[in-house]
């Protein structure tokens, strides 16, 4: 049995159908991914607001077709995530007090040059802090707070630069790297939501400190994150409370401490340590929890869990709307990082392979890609940047160059640090911006 498309009126849609195309470009709608299952009447109402007709997937049978509820994930990936009977929790629309509409005021190249040592300095500051909190030494948070302030200013100026650097930056300690990358994801999301710079500073610092309680857990327990039995997991969960206790006399703001305490709570009450839900979870903690979960999916501990490609992780997050994460935050996060986030290894429809450098909110499926191999997967001596949105602007549908699929981290021949990049206006070497 195959699958084909059928055009129907939005008023004939039902929960469970898979919407594969719209009567208008996807980027002109609030739907952050191209292709999704209708999971509620709210999804239908949203489609009615924007479209008159849509295409749905239907299953071909002998001589007829049936409305399809086949679990086909977006992007052609194989990830499937069922509700499993878990309760969906709907909240009123998210309200950000006096949201800031940020403008990108510098180029990716210039911001990478400005911030090239920032992540290295952050790693050093975190390592020293985490070592101090586990002893009787005085805990000086000023170096980490200073780093966060610089990270916030970088993300405000140009959100893709720090996101790119965090994806290719190498660090030996998983806990530090996890906290650092979580901070970057969260700051980029917070910027998209319009949080002011003061709140972004609280959010970033909270994310940086969110893992501090893990220094009191055994290395053996930490080395098997994601593979704990019930008894081990009960011990593992205590890292949040341990972290709060270690930082309670540090003079941190209530907002920062809310992130440390609440980043593992979940929208439907399935998180820890308190199992609170919905609006009882502070907004900054919600954002931190979403960012931390995404980082766990794409960068788990080595030899413990197979990492997901960013596109598969985005699909999974979208399927968890109003279950483990509030829908507006999920959609804001995806709009901020793109369907294919910076640092994603990809293969284009013509066989060329490379890595996503940045994306445009108006063309979510056509980011800028640094191509590192030819169509036969032979590595290029000098990489080149292709802006897919500009490349496809005057081309016919048959000539469009797009992303075929995301590739696994570590795919042979795809090392961004080893290439000179020929951009549209300049030529530069990515390795100059990566701390080794």
């Amino acid at each position: 049995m195959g699958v084909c498309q059928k055009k129907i009126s939005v008023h004939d849609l039902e929960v469970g159908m898979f919407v594969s195309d719209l009567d208008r470009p996807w980027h002109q709608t609030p739907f952050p991914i191209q292709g999704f299952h209708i999971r509620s009447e709210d999804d239908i109402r949203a489609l009615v607001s924007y479209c008159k007709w849509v295409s749905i997937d239907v299953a071909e049978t002998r001589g007829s077709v049936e409305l399809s509820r086949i679990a086909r994930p977006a992007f052609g990936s194989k990830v499937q995530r069922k509700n499993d009977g878990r309760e969906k929790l709907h909240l009123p629309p998210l309200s950000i007090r006096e949201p800031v509409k940020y403008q990108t005021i510098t180029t990716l190249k210039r911001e990478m040059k400005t911030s090239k040592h920032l992540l290295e300095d952050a790693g050093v500051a975190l390592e020293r802090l985490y070592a101090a909190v586990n002893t009787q030494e005085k805990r000086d948070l000023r170096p980490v707070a200073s780093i966060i302030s610089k990270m916030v200013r970088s993300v405000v100026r140009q959100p893709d630069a720090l996101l790119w650097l965090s994806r290719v930056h190498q660090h030996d300690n998983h806990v530090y790297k996890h906290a650092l990358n979580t901070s970057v994801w969260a700051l980029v999301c917070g910027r998209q939501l319009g949080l002011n710079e003061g709140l972004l500073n609280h959010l970033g610092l909270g994310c940086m400190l969110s893992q501090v309680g893990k220094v009191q857990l055994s290395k053996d327990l930490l080395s098997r994150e994601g593979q704990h039995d019930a008894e081990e997991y009960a011990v593992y969960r205590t890292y949040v409370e341990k972290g709060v206790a270690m930082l309670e006399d540090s003079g941190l703001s209530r907002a920062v401490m809310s992130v440390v305490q609440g980043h593992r709570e979940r929208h439907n009450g399935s998180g820890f340590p308190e199992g609170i839900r919905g609006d009882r979870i502070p907004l900054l903690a919600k954002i931190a929890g979403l960012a931390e979960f995404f980082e766990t999916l794409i960068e788990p501990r080595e030899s413990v869990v197979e990492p997901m490609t960013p596109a598969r992780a985005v699909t999974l997050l979208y399927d968890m709307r109003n279950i483990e994460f509030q829908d507006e935050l999920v959609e804001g996060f995806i709009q901020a990082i793109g369907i294919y986030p910076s640092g994603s290894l990809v293969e284009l429809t013509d066989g060329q392979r490379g890595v996503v450098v940045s994306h445009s909110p108006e063309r979510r499926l056509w980011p800028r890609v640094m191509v590192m191999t030819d169509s036969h997967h032979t590595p290029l001596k000098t990489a080149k940047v292709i802006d897919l949105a500009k490349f496809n602007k005057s081309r016919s549908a048959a000539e469009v160059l797009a992303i075929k699929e995301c590739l696994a981290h570590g795919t042979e021949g795809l090392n961004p640090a080893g290439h000179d990049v020929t951009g549209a206006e300049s030529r530069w070497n990515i390795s100059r911006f990566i701390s080794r």
Side-chain angles (χ1 to χ4, degrees), residues 90-103:
H90 294 272
L91 295 178
L94 189 66
S95 177
I96 304 294
R97 183 179 298 177
E98 298 179 356
V100 180
K101 188 172 181 60
Y102 293 102
Q103 300 293 327

Side-chain angles (χ1 to χ4, degrees), residues 31-310:
F31 310 114
I33 66 174
Q34 184 167 341
F36 63 93
H37 277 100
I38 298 175
R39 300 178 55 199
S40 67
E41 294 296 330
D42 288 341
D43 288 344
I44 295 177
R45 283 191 285 271
L47 284 163
V48 169
S49 300
Y50 284 88
C51 306
K52 294 181 178 180
W53 300 87
V54 299
S55 293
I56 63 170
D57 281 2
V58 296
E60 295 177 332
T61 60
R62 294 182 180 178
S64 64
V65 295
E66 298 175 354
L67 297 183
S68 176
R69 292 169 175 77
I70 297 173
R72 178 189 138 183
F75 321 124
S77 70
K78 297 180 180 179
V79 172
Q80 296 186 24
R81 179 84 173 192
K82 296 182 179 179
N83 189 348
D84 297 329
R86 292 177 295 176
E87 178 187 4
K88 292 182 65 176
L89 177 62
H90 294 272
L91 295 178
L94 189 66
S95 177
I96 304 294
R97 183 179 298 177
E98 298 179 356
V100 180
K101 188 172 181 60
Y102 293 102
Q103 300 293 327
T104 299
I105 62 174
T106 187
T107 64
L108 178 66
K109 174 186 174 182
R110 185 172 300 151
E111 187 57 36
M112 287 177 67
K113 184 179 294 185
T114 301
S115 305
K116 64 180 179 180
H117 297 305
L118 193 50
L119 295 185
E120 183 178 14
D121 293 343
V124 172
L126 268 183
E127 188 171 3
R128 290 174 178 171
L129 174 64
Y130 277 38
V133 296
N134 206 26
T135 67
Q136 298 302 315
E137 295 181 34
K138 183 179 180 180
R139 298 162 190 173
D140 186 1
L141 298 176
R142 288 175 298 180
V144 176
S146 176
I147 289 291
I148 285 296
S149 180
K150 293 176 182 177
M151 290 172 62
V152 168
R153 292 197 294 270
S154 175
V155 167
V156 165
R157 290 190 298 263
Q158 220 293 347
D160 286 312
L162 204 60
L163 189 58
W164 166 266
L165 289 171
S166 73
R167 294 300 310 280
V168 298
H169 181 77
Q170 298 298 316
H171 202 293
D172 292 335
N173 192 297
H174 180 80
V175 173
Y176 307 151
K177 180 181 179 181
H178 187 78
L180 184 58
N181 289 355
T182 295
S183 297
V184 177
W185 292 119
L187 290 178
V188 172
C189 179
R191 180 188 190 273
Q192 172 71 26
L193 295 173
L195 300 184
N196 62 48
E197 290 192 35
L199 289 175
L200 290 177
N201 274 280
H202 291 317
L203 174 61
L205 184 56
C207 289
M208 287 281 242
L209 299 175
S210 64
Q211 310 296 300
V212 72
K214 290 181 179 179
V215 301
Q216 292 192 355
L217 301 181
S218 70
K219 290 184 179 180
D220 177 64
L221 189 69
L222 290 177
S223 68
R224 291 182 288 104
E225 278 185 288
Q227 292 187 332
H228 298 140
D229 59 29
E231 184 176 342
E232 291 172 330
Y233 188 60
V235 175
Y236 172 80
R237 287 163 48 126
T238 64
Y239 88 83
V240 174
E241 293 164 307
K242 292 180 186 297
V244 172
M246 295 162 73
L247 296 169
E248 60 183 357
D249 296 326
S250 300
L252 291 167
S253 69
R254 182 180 299 177
V256 173
M257 291 301 294
S258 76
V259 174
V260 178
Q261 184 165 7
H263 72 280
R264 292 304 296 259
E265 301 290 358
R266 292 295 179 258
H267 184 67
N268 62 357
S270 62
F272 62 85
E274 297 182 23
I276 57 178
R277 56 186 284 169
D279 278 340
R280 292 191 60 197
I281 307 172
L283 175 61
L284 298 187
K286 291 181 180 183
I287 298 171
L290 179 59
E292 197 263 350
F293 180 76
F294 186 78
E295 173 64 15
T296 300
L297 294 178
I298 65 172
E299 292 284 351
R301 283 187 179 270
E302 294 183 6
S303 304
V304 175
V305 180
E306 187 74 19
M308 284 189 182
T309 64

